[in-house]
Amino acid sequence: MDIYFTVVSFIMGIILGSFYNVCIFRIPNNQSIANPPSHCYNCNNRLKPLDLVPILSWVFLKRKCRYCGQKISSRYALVEMLTGILFVLVYKVYGLNIITIYYLALISILVIIAFIDIGHFIIPDSLIIFGTIFSVIFNLTGQGIVLKGSILGALICGGGMLLLINLIEFIVKKEVMGGGDIKLFFMTGLFLGIKGGLLTILLSIYVGAIYGIGLIIYSKIKKQEYNSMIPYGPFISVGALITVLCGTNIINWYLNLFA
């Protein structure tokens, strides 16, 4: 039975991942995610069902449009595969529970936000608003986390980072973090509560530092100029993903160090 639900989780993930690709492309361009139907953005031919099979269509069409031969970005298959894997991992951690839906919604929003931020250096307010409304409604019904902890998590994480970043920017006299990143901290705090939200902040710093150091070393090796403009949304998303999947174990491990 476990194998059955694992497979279902993966299939559901890659199917939704295909839709998330539409969101990733259209939302930053202020286009409807519903209309027009899926089509090739090069030749405008409407895609048929066989062109839209997650991952497999990309493989069997040899990464090209069936109609005009335009190359299809590997990002499409990557998003589908990543979403499928994440759905399986959430199911493995939380099982067949209503809270699983809660975290799948968060992960879905984070996947979309991360790839939009990578491509456009923006975090759309519409996604933050959607996530905020979803979390509040879910928590109000008693199906998510305790509402008080959710609200405090949002205020402490979002508000705390807002104050900290403003202080840092006042000292260094330049922008160090965009407003979208602070809003994302607010939303993750709402979903994950105080402990989960703070852990997300800490993990995002570590992930960002590791990436930054790696990028500097790579630039030195390739003798290229280091680009200091890095989208922070993906680091927040990775931090939140780790918190969803391993947060309880990490927090317990840390607390046991002082027991």
Side-chain angles (χ1 to χ4, degrees):
M1 202 65 174
D2 182 64
I3 295 177
Y4 170 78
F5 285 112
T6 299
V7 173
V8 169
S9 298
F10 181 75
I11 293 175
M12 184 185 303
I14 61 174
I15 291 174
L16 287 174
S18 182
F19 170 67
Y20 299 160
N21 274 317
V22 175
C23 297
I24 291 165
F25 182 87
R26 296 189 184 186
I27 290 177
N29 293 307
N30 296 315
Q31 298 177 2
S32 168
I33 60 174
N35 288 303
S38 295
H39 60 282
C40 173
Y41 293 101
N42 184 60
C43 64
N44 287 321
N45 271 297
R46 183 171 176 176
L47 301 181
K48 298 177 181 178
L50 285 178
D51 303 318
L52 298 171
V53 180
I55 302 174
L56 295 180
S57 290
W58 183 79
V59 173
F60 290 123
L61 291 175
K62 298 179 180 179
R63 298 175 291 174
K64 295 180 181 179
C65 171
R66 182 195 301 273
Y67 309 101
C68 68
Q70 176 73 15
K71 185 178 179 181
I72 301 173
S73 171
S74 58
R75 189 209 73 199
Y76 291 93
L78 173 62
V79 170
E80 291 164 355
M81 179 64 75
L82 176 63
T83 308
I85 292 172
L86 290 174
F87 271 45
V88 169
L89 292 175
V90 172
Y91 162 69
K92 289 292 187 181
V93 173
Y94 296 98
L96 292 176
N97 293 297
I98 193 72
I99 194 68
T100 303
I101 299 175
Y102 182 74
Y103 288 126
L104 288 178
L106 172 59
I107 279 179
S108 297
I109 296 169
L110 292 175
V111 167
I112 297 171
I113 284 176
F115 281 92
I116 287 178
D117 201 17
I118 289 171
H120 301 271
F121 290 90
I122 60 171
I123 297 177
D125 286 341
S126 57
L127 292 170
I128 300 295
I129 292 170
F130 174 80
T132 297
I133 294 173
F134 179 92
S135 178
V136 169
I137 292 175
F138 220 84
N139 293 335
L140 276 173
T141 61
Q143 301 299 322
I145 66 173
V146 178
L147 183 61
K148 180 180 178 181
S150 173
I151 295 173
L152 287 175
L155 293 175
I156 291 173
C157 295
M161 288 302 294
L162 176 62
L163 292 174
L164 178 62
I165 295 304
N166 280 335
L167 177 60
I168 294 173
E169 290 180 350
F170 175 77
I171 295 172
V172 301
K173 305 301 181 183
K174 66 176 182 178
E175 184 179 73
V176 296
M177 180 176 287
D181 298 318
I182 295 172
K183 294 172 188 175
L184 183 54
F185 277 126
F186 175 91
M187 190 195 76
T188 54
L190 202 61
F191 265 95
L192 301 173
I194 300 172
K195 291 181 180 179
L198 291 175
L199 179 60
T200 295
I201 292 175
L202 181 62
L203 290 172
S204 72
I205 294 171
Y206 282 124
V207 174
I210 292 170
Y211 176 84
I213 293 170
L215 186 60
I216 292 172
I217 294 173
Y218 178 80
S219 299
K220 293 289 186 181
I221 294 174
K222 293 293 184 177
K223 297 181 179 179
Q224 298 174 346
E225 185 177 351
Y226 169 62
N227 183 6
S228 61
M229 188 175 179
I230 302 173
Y232 200 74
F235 305 138
I236 302 173
S237 298
V238 171
L241 292 174
I242 295 173
T243 299
V244 169
L245 298 173
C246 313
T248 301
N249 291 334
I250 294 174
I251 292 171
N252 288 338
W253 168 79
Y254 178 77
L255 293 176
N256 285 335
L257 291 176
F258 303 97

